[in-house]
Amino acid sequence: MSSPKSPLAPTALPNLPEIAGVIRRVARAGYKAWERSDLTFVELAPGTTVAGVLTQSKCPSPEVEWCRKALVLGQARALVVNAGNSNAFTGDRGRTAVEAIAARTAQHLGCAPSDVYVASTGVIGVPLPVDKAEAGLDAAFASAPVGWVDAAETIMTTDTFAKVATQRAVVGGRTVELVGVIKGSGMIAPDMATMLGFIFTNAAVDPAFLQRALAAANTKTFSCITVDSDTSTSDTVLAFATGAAGNPPLAGDEDEGADAFVSALSALCMELALLVVRDGEGATKLIEVTVEGAESDRSAHRIAMSIANSPLVKTAIAGEDANWGRVVMAVGKAGEPAERDKLSIRFGATQVAEHGLAVTGYDEAPVTAHLKGSEIAIGVDLGLGEGRATVWTCDLTHGYISINADYRS
Amino acid sequence: MSSPKSPLAPTALPNLPEIAGVIRRVARAGYKAWERSDLTFVELAPGTTVAGVLTQSKCPSPEVEWCRKALVLGQARALVVNAGNSNAFTGDRGRTAVEAIAARTAQHLGCAPSDVYVASTGVIGVPLPVDKAEAGLDAAFASAPVGWVDAAETIMTTDTFAKVATQRAVVGGRTVELVGVIKGSGMIAPDMATMLGFIFTNAAVDPAFLQRALAAANTKTFSCITVDSDTSTSDTVLAFATGAAGNPPLAGDEDEGADAFVSALSALCMELALLVVRDGEGATKLIEVTVEGAESDRSAHRIAMSIANSPLVKTAIAGEDANWGRVVMAVGKAGEPAERDKLSIRFGATQVAEHGLAVTGYDEAPVTAHLKGSEIAIGVDLGLGEGRATVWTCDLTHGYISINADYRS
């Protein structure tokens, strides 16, 4: 909010195409004492299909529970996003607020409440005020449409820059466009989803196929990022397909253009996920952790996450210190198969440890140069099998402490 | 090292009794460029029994492997502790260094190498220099005995104060004394043991019984603390019993004084474990997290650790912010059974959330006052069963970042 823009923010925004059947409006509901829009209303054309991945938290927000139910039907006419109040852990009052938002939007559009998807982000434990939400919705209904970036800015909380991405694919002879907007900066350790991400495409896609494609992309993207190991109660990624491109609806892997669409969706998810890490609270370095030679991909992922979540590894990178001993520590604590004397570690392209001990007399200069950069690569080879995973995180700095020691005030 | 003493340090040291059969000597091996003793040699009387708990890291130091083997025999004549170099992840050279230390000490005492226990702490990945270790040992052999506090200071690394504790029990008509020394401040998330802790008693105790008692105490003490969720490669707690008190050796739960000894040992472990948390890197608050009403004790422990390891909970406490929403988040991400609408949370004695939502109009004044103190209590009731656990951690502050962004240099 008041933090300066992350040094890892992209220098330019991409050109974003319009997606036929997607109309964005924003308004100021006033969930917090801030002078900015904080309610986003996206109207979707009749026939839009939807897929989603949601937090695995055992204490999910009522918005997450609402979306989980609605996704079974696979149809969507609207998305409403509230910023500044997550409405999580608010009991019956929270549920009532979500139902009121869905009802009012459904009445406005003449659709079923289950066609309305709702997501909220912000402080936990304060019921979303229904009067503010309803007044905000009415203001949004009456307002002029806005661009993608306005919508991306309206869903922000501690984010320091608006996060958008786009991809394109040829499907059944038609060029289809995909646009995604996402927010997230702290409380990022998505468990099958990240904080709030929304993807829109004009492709025609069967909801079951869209769900499979989104879940597969998620496994390699949103589920591979972490800022602080803290998993949100509100993590939500929804993908909406309006079908306006007029391609024959994608329903199976063998359909023409299915591969291209899945690839484009996956690339878009990757871009969005990395934007979140680049805006990690207090981040000054983007860190890519690759683990190879594990007994399985799953084991590699767990070890990579153990490294990416280690405060000691993250502070060492913040200090531009090639302290690979902390990487060994993080491998050792992961609880996954590992043999110390087969382990190799690299920073950037430089092998610093091999087969369980430091590489004798390795040149520290390229390592030091690599660590002074803003994109850091840590590689671990366990030497056990073919399992492989890559995850992304950021460094842990004074900025994270400053942001989080007085967030609620 | 150069950090000021933790504000959570005890104001006075306890009076420490001598333990017959335990003689401490220290020397400067010069493992780092510092003007202080860094090698501790403890001579133990013939007949001393020993028990230990060691790190579960998959990348343990050669010292840990050495101790694990030696513990099978249950006998000890010496303990050697090196500070400034953990000797972890150093391959054959690390193993050779440990063997050389054990051999030289065994020769000096006329015992078997397997009677010599070795522990090292400090930077990972640099082989312990054998010449410095041997010269340091020779200097120690020739030096005058020192007190407990000198030994506790000699095993320190980033610790800001010497950590010692004592307990007493009546066993078989004899009063037996227990003294413990411990070090640890960062990389603290012991997995069955903490960094380096050493307990000495003049009680006569069968090694198998001593092992059982130590393992049981460990489960409720060292395994219940965390500073930063990072588990060391060198975690070691050893308990030595010289038998000089002359009690009939303790060998079973039914023996006279067994309960008293086990209670004293457990209380001593608790004191030592809390001293480590009080010296957590950058700590300004000691945090006790109690989880009740879980499906099992194990489940309660996991949830408590999820709260205690959450950077967002720890920074909130640093900021004296009653942000209980972050506690909900940490419960939700633990992956253990929890039902949002049965969850209650308190800070200090004040219930702030009950049955899944904020307590209406609860008085923030006592909560604010509690959070301004240096000892913080967070209580969670899951409302599901009888499972219960308490763990201890510290807050996450700018001090932690400062200490760890340039530790190795």
Side-chain angles (χ1 to χ4, degrees):
Chain A
M1 289 172 316
S2 56
S3 296
K5 190 186 273 198
S6 165
L8 303 175
T11 49
L13 290 168
N15 284 323
L16 298 166
E18 277 303 323
I19 303 284
V22 180
I23 303 166
R24 299 155 303 272
R25 293 182 168 87
V26 301
R28 184 175 165 221
Y31 295 124
K32 293 189 73 167
W34 51 20
E35 295 295 328
R36 47 160 278 198
S37 296
D38 52 10
L39 183 149
T40 307
F41 164 58
V42 183
E43 184 180 339
L44 302 159
T48 296
T49 57
V50 59
V53 284
L54 301 157
T55 187
Q56 302 279 304
S57 169
K58 303 284 182 181
C59 298
S61 69
E63 282 80 348
V64 165
E65 296 182 323
W66 176 269
C67 289
R68 190 168 280 139
K69 262 192 209 161
L71 281 166
V72 176
L73 305 172
Q75 302 296 324
R77 285 298 316 282
L79 166 70
V80 177
V81 186
N82 305 298
N85 184 326
S86 77
N87 196 38
F89 208 67
T90 53
D92 282 340
R93 287 181 58 194
R95 277 185 283 275
T96 303
V98 176
E99 287 164 10
I101 288 169
R104 197 160 197 108
T105 307
Q107 188 182 20
H108 174 70
L109 294 175
C111 65
S114 58
D115 292 337
V116 180
Y117 288 75
V118 186
S120 302
T121 176
V123 69
I124 294 173
V126 180
L128 193 78
V130 175
D131 53 344
K132 289 186 180 178
E134 292 184 336
L137 275 176
D138 290 346
F141 297 156
S143 70
V146 298
W148 290 113
V149 175
D150 290 307
E153 284 174 349
T154 303
I155 67 172
M156 285 166 51
T157 55
T158 59
D159 306 62
T160 73
F161 61 89
K163 300 174 189 68
V164 292
T166 184
Q167 287 286 337
R168 177 177 287 183
V170 176
V171 179
R174 305 286 178 118
T175 297
V176 305
E177 309 277 359
L178 297 89
V179 169
V181 300
I182 196 161
K183 65 86 54 184
S185 180
M187 205 178 279
I188 298 292
D191 189 6
M192 302 308 291
T194 189
M195 286 213 63
L196 301 184
F198 306 106
I199 294 164
F200 304 89
T201 178
N202 58 350
V205 192
D206 174 78
F209 183 78
L210 188 59
Q211 183 65 42
R212 277 209 310 283
L214 180 64
N218 170 64
T219 305
K220 295 286 182 190
T221 58
F222 303 118
S223 289
C224 295
I225 65 169
T226 178
V227 167
D228 53 10
S229 78
D230 275 343
T231 301
S232 162
T233 47
S234 307
D235 290 339
T236 298
V237 173
L238 299 173
F240 301 96
T242 66
N247 60 291
L250 287 175
D253 294 337
E254 305 306 315
D255 292 350
E256 194 194 333
D259 284 354
F261 179 80
V262 166
S263 295
L265 180 65
S266 186
L268 188 76
C269 290
M270 191 73 258
E271 280 183 69
L272 294 170
L274 288 182
L275 286 171
V276 171
V277 180
R278 284 181 174 276
D279 206 8
E281 287 172 344
T284 68
K285 315 249 186 206
L286 175 69
I287 308 171
E288 181 183 271
V289 180
T290 300
V291 172
E292 299 174 296
E295 287 206 345
S296 67
D297 288 352
R298 188 178 172 80
S299 178
H301 179 81
R302 285 188 180 160
I303 291 169
M305 275 295 188
S306 177
I307 297 166
N309 279 325
S310 160
L312 288 172
V313 171
K314 292 155 79 89
T315 48
I317 299 299
E320 302 181 349
D321 176 7
N323 194 328
W324 56 268
R326 295 183 182 176
V327 178
V328 175
M329 176 280 299
V331 171
K333 78 167 180 169
E336 290 295 315
E339 285 181 37
R340 186 186 55 203
D341 297 346
K342 291 185 176 172
L343 194 58
S344 300
I345 296 169
R346 68 175 163 78
F347 283 106
T350 310
Q351 209 70 29
V352 297
E354 263 174 346
H355 308 306
L357 68 172
V359 173
T360 315
Y362 79 85
D363 185 5
E364 285 216 20
V367 174
T368 305
H370 181 70
L371 290 176
K372 284 194 186 304
S374 63
E375 304 200 359
I376 309 300
I378 301 175
V380 171
D381 191 333
L382 297 168
L384 296 178
E386 301 296 315
R388 196 182 188 293
T390 300
V391 307
W392 293 268
T393 188
C394 55
D395 54 343
L396 175 58
T397 69
H398 287 290
Y400 184 86
I401 307 292
S402 297
I403 292 165
N404 286 302
D406 60 352
Y407 170 65
R408 207 179 62 149
S409 52
Chain B
M1 290 168 319
S2 57
S3 296
K5 189 187 273 198
S6 165
L8 303 175
T11 48
L13 290 168
N15 284 322
L16 298 166
E18 278 303 323
I19 302 284
V22 179
I23 303 167
R24 300 154 304 271
R25 292 181 168 88
V26 300
R28 185 176 163 218
Y31 294 124
K32 294 189 73 169
W34 51 20
E35 296 293 327
R36 47 161 278 198
S37 298
D38 52 10
L39 183 149
T40 308
F41 164 58
V42 183
E43 183 180 340
L44 301 160
T48 297
T49 57
V50 60
V53 284
L54 301 157
T55 186
Q56 301 280 305
S57 169
K58 302 284 182 181
C59 299
S61 69
E63 283 81 346
V64 165
E65 295 181 322
W66 176 269
C67 289
R68 191 167 279 139
K69 263 192 210 163
L71 281 166
V72 175
L73 305 172
Q75 302 297 323
R77 283 297 315 284
L79 166 69
V80 177
V81 186
N82 305 298
N85 184 327
S86 78
N87 195 36
F89 209 66
T90 53
D92 281 340
R93 288 181 59 194
R95 278 185 284 275
T96 304
V98 176
E99 287 163 11
I101 288 169
R104 197 162 196 106
T105 307
Q107 187 183 21
H108 175 70
L109 295 175
C111 66
S114 60
D115 292 337
V116 180
Y117 288 75
V118 186
S120 302
T121 174
V123 69
I124 294 172
V126 181
L128 194 79
V130 175
D131 53 343
K132 289 186 178 178
E134 292 184 336
L137 276 177
D138 289 346
F141 296 157
S143 70
V146 299
W148 289 111
V149 175
D150 290 307
E153 284 174 350
T154 304
I155 68 172
M156 285 165 52
T157 56
T158 58
D159 307 62
T160 73
F161 62 88
K163 302 175 189 68
V164 293
T166 184
Q167 287 285 336
R168 176 177 287 185
V170 176
V171 178
R174 305 284 178 119
T175 296
V176 304
E177 309 277 1
L178 297 89
V179 169
V181 300
I182 197 162
K183 64 87 52 185
S185 181
M187 206 178 277
I188 297 291
D191 189 5
M192 302 308 289
T194 191
M195 285 210 64
L196 301 184
F198 306 106
I199 294 164
F200 304 89
T201 177
N202 58 349
V205 192
D206 174 76
F209 183 77
L210 188 58
Q211 183 64 43
R212 278 210 308 283
L214 181 63
N218 170 64
T219 304
K220 294 286 183 192
T221 58
F222 302 119
S223 289
C224 295
I225 65 170
T226 179
V227 167
D228 53 10
S229 78
D230 276 343
T231 301
S232 163
T233 48
S234 308
D235 290 339
T236 298
V237 173
L238 300 172
F240 301 96
T242 66
N247 60 288
L250 287 175
D253 293 336
E254 306 305 318
D255 292 349
E256 193 194 334
D259 284 354
F261 179 80
V262 166
S263 294
L265 180 66
S266 185
L268 188 75
C269 290
M270 191 74 256
E271 279 184 69
L272 293 170
L274 288 182
L275 286 172
V276 171
V277 180
R278 284 182 174 276
D279 206 8
E281 287 172 344
T284 68
K285 314 251 185 203
L286 175 70
I287 307 171
E288 181 184 272
V289 180
T290 299
V291 173
E292 300 173 296
E295 287 206 344
S296 67
D297 287 353
R298 186 177 173 80
S299 178
H301 179 80
R302 286 189 179 160
I303 291 169
M305 275 295 187
S306 177
I307 297 166
N309 279 325
S310 160
L312 288 171
V313 171
K314 291 155 80 88
T315 48
I317 300 298
E320 302 181 347
D321 177 7
N323 194 328
W324 56 269
R326 295 184 181 174
V327 178
V328 175
M329 176 279 299
V331 171
K333 77 167 180 170
E336 291 293 316
E339 285 181 38
R340 185 187 55 203
D341 297 346
K342 291 184 175 173
L343 194 58
S344 300
I345 296 169
R346 67 175 163 77
F347 283 105
T350 310
Q351 209 71 30
V352 297
E354 261 174 350
H355 309 307
L357 68 172
V359 173
T360 314
Y362 79 84
D363 185 4
E364 286 216 19
V367 174
T368 305
H370 180 71
L371 289 175
K372 284 195 186 304
S374 63
E375 304 198 0
I376 309 300
I378 300 175
V380 172
D381 191 333
L382 297 169
L384 296 178
E386 301 296 316
R388 195 181 188 294
T390 300
V391 307
W392 293 268
T393 189
C394 55
D395 53 345
L396 174 58
T397 69
H398 287 289
Y400 184 85
I401 307 292
S402 298
I403 292 166
N404 286 301
D406 60 352
Y407 170 63
R408 208 179 62 149
S409 52

